[in-house]
Amino acid sequence: IGTSFATLQTDAGNDVKVTFVAPPSGKVEIVFSGLVDAISRNIYFALSDNATYNELDAIQTYDAKCITIDETDENVASIRWFVTGLTAGSSYTYFIGAKASGTSYIYHGVNRFNSHSPPIIVKAIAVPNTIYSGQ
């Protein structure tokens, strides 16, 4: 994870993204989870509508200490976005963007020592028309 917002990619060059068809309510919850590793860093996440980072909307950019890692830690992060105003039946692709206050990593799969980390998961969950979102 670099120090400027960019869309995440795996070492194999795969974009960290989700593609879905908008439900009748036009509302979805996007959920990202992955193992974050850092030493005394702040990590920020955002949604992008493009593989080359493009902020979806200011409200979907968590630039106020989304995750704070003190000392040397590894944590499975679960970051959520509530997206509204989608056109029912239309296809959308959202990419996960991130930045950090310094060197930080997301680990997944198996490493050269045959140790396994949790997978990176990005999913879109259909949300009913009436929901309390805390606003």
Side-chain angles (χ1 to χ4, degrees), residues 20 22-28 83-88 92 94:
F20 62 94
S25 67
K27 301 174 184 178
V28 295
V83 182
T84 62
L86 304 175
T87 302
Y92 292 86
Y94 291 134

Side-chain angles (χ1 to χ4, degrees), residues 21-41:
V21 174
S25 67
K27 301 174 184 178
V28 295
E29 178 184 29
I30 306 295
V31 181
F32 162 85
S33 66
L35 178 68
V36 179
D37 181 284
I39 301 171
S40 300
R41 302 288 184 221

Side-chain angles (χ1 to χ4, degrees), residues 23-125:
S25 67
K27 301 174 184 178
V28 295
E29 178 184 29
I30 306 295
V31 181
F32 162 85
S33 66
L35 178 68
V36 179
D37 181 284
I39 301 171
S40 300
R41 302 288 184 221
N42 294 322
I43 303 167
Y44 314 88
F45 289 89
L47 281 183
S48 172
D49 61 4
N50 194 302
T52 304
Y53 182 74
N54 182 54
E55 181 181 70
L56 178 65
D57 189 338
I59 197 167
Q60 307 299 353
T61 300
Y62 300 152
D63 52 3
K65 290 203 289 189
C66 201
I67 297 175
T68 299
I69 303 230
D70 63 347
E71 302 169 354
T72 302
D73 292 322
E74 291 180 335
N75 293 308
V76 176
S78 179
I79 311 300
R80 299 169 179 273
W81 294 268
F82 182 57
V83 182
T84 62
L86 304 175
T87 302
S90 294
S91 180
Y92 292 86
T93 299
Y94 291 134
F95 299 80
I96 305 301
K99 75 174 185 176
S101 59
T103 305
S104 304
Y105 302 94
I106 295 175
Y107 291 112
H108 66 97
V110 64
N111 67 16
R112 62 189 171 113
F113 303 111
N114 205 32
S115 295
H116 297 266
S117 296
I120 295 170
I121 298 173
V122 183
K123 58 186 173 180
I125 302 168

